[in-house]
Amino acid sequence: MVTDKNVILVDVGNTRFKYCLLSDAENEPVATENLSDLLSFIDKQQNISHLYLASVRKADAVEQIFTACEQRNIVVVEKNTEREAFGIKNSYENEKKMGVDRWLAMVCAAEKSQKAFFVMDVGTAITVDFVVGGQHLGGWITPGFQVMKQALLNSTKKVYANDEIPTTLTVGNDTEECVATGCYAAVYGVYLSAVDYLSSKQTDFDIILGGGDKKMFAFLESDVRIRPAHLVVQGLARYARSELLT
């Protein structure tokens, strides 16, 4: 019999692997840049029967996971974007063109909200998707904080930056601070634009916020509309529970 302790969830993102047991899906997943860390985690568990996988990375990392699981008699279930599932209808004419991370973010968000919502994943890229009455209206993709900052540094000769990530909107008093706060303002502007857009469609809605840089919005968590989430992992968890535990 499969239980939530026999299933591992793996999000292969642009820069990191994130993973946890299905039983721990509500907690912060482990994040690492090294596939070897994931394989060590698998080997430390007992009686793993299934691994649910989502990847936005090139196929080589996924192939290595499939090979490792085959050697360990673990069934790999790789999830891809669908036309419709869990009451969500995709707006894409060709759903295969949508990254599975965005689809799973919506699957996760729809479980957490009974209202209209937008889901914002703040990572290497920032993605925003809008759903009203189960219908996906569409979304946005924009560079994340680090990508914005690096693009600025790569395109200018006398602009410098530090490694600090702001958590409040302020202004800088030297070039490094100006870069950080300027990029932060751009990220925050995406959030404010999303609020404005969905407000024009629906007066009552939730905001589901996730991604490795969601801490940039920690000051907003007192807003009752906002629900933090581990989007891709929890979207995978919803599939796994539906397919294995019901």
Side-chain angles (χ1 to χ4, degrees):
M1 178 181 176
V2 178
T3 73
D4 59 4
K5 295 185 183 299
N6 304 134
V7 183
I8 292 178
L9 311 172
V10 180
D11 166 18
V12 183
N14 289 302
T15 57
R16 293 183 294 177
F17 299 90
K18 296 180 183 178
Y19 54 88
C20 65
L21 291 173
L22 177 56
S23 58
D24 293 330
E26 296 305 310
N27 301 320
E28 188 77 28
V30 178
T32 181
E33 295 181 3
N34 300 312
L35 178 59
S36 59
D37 293 335
L38 168 60
L39 300 182
S40 295
F41 176 80
I42 293 172
D43 288 335
K44 289 177 182 177
Q45 310 308 311
Q46 294 183 347
N47 301 319
I48 297 300
S49 61
H50 292 75
L51 185 148
Y52 270 65
L53 171 71
S55 176
V56 296
R57 202 180 298 188
K58 292 182 179 179
D60 56 344
V62 173
E63 289 173 0
Q64 291 179 64
I65 293 172
F66 267 89
T67 299
C69 287
E70 183 178 6
Q71 293 169 350
R72 294 162 173 80
N73 295 315
I74 296 172
V75 176
V76 179
V77 181
E78 184 175 7
K79 285 301 170 184
N80 297 292
T81 303
E82 296 189 286
R83 166 74 55 186
E84 182 176 355
F86 298 105
I88 308 166
K89 295 181 180 179
N90 200 323
S91 71
Y92 271 34
E93 183 175 341
N94 180 358
E95 71 277 7
K96 293 180 175 59
K97 290 186 175 182
M98 175 185 282
V100 68
D101 55 334
R102 290 173 60 198
W103 175 249
L104 289 171
M106 286 189 278
V107 168
C108 166
E111 187 174 36
K112 294 182 177 295
S113 176
Q114 301 304 311
K115 304 176 183 177
F117 63 83
F118 75 79
V119 56
M120 183 169 176
D121 191 346
V122 191
T124 304
I126 299 168
T127 65
V128 186
D129 283 284
F130 303 88
V131 176
V132 176
Q135 177 62 57
H136 176 229
L137 304 181
W140 301 330
I141 305 173
T142 187
F145 176 83
Q146 297 291 353
V147 175
M148 287 185 199
K149 187 172 72 171
Q150 197 58 51
L152 181 61
L153 298 180
N154 290 343
S155 301
T156 53
K157 292 183 179 179
K158 293 187 178 181
V159 173
Y160 309 95
N162 54 35
D163 294 329
E164 294 184 12
I165 299 177
T167 55
T168 57
L169 185 61
T170 183
V171 293
N173 297 117
D174 60 36
T175 298
E176 290 85 349
E177 287 183 350
C178 288
V179 169
T181 55
C183 292
Y184 178 86
V187 172
Y188 188 38
V190 176
Y191 168 83
L192 294 177
S193 297
V195 172
D196 285 348
Y197 176 78
L198 198 51
S199 295
S200 72
K201 305 289 183 183
Q202 189 82 16
T203 57
D204 188 21
F205 59 87
D206 285 328
I207 300 163
I208 315 299
L209 192 63
D213 286 340
K214 66 178 180 293
K215 57 184 177 292
M216 297 174 70
F217 293 92
F219 72 99
L220 293 172
E221 288 183 3
S222 60
D223 188 330
V224 296
R225 294 182 302 175
I226 295 179
R227 303 185 185 187
H230 311 302
L231 298 170
V232 175
V233 164
Q234 290 177 343
L236 283 171
R238 192 172 186 190
Y239 270 105
R241 292 190 186 104
S242 172
E243 295 172 357
L244 299 178
L245 305 184
T246 58

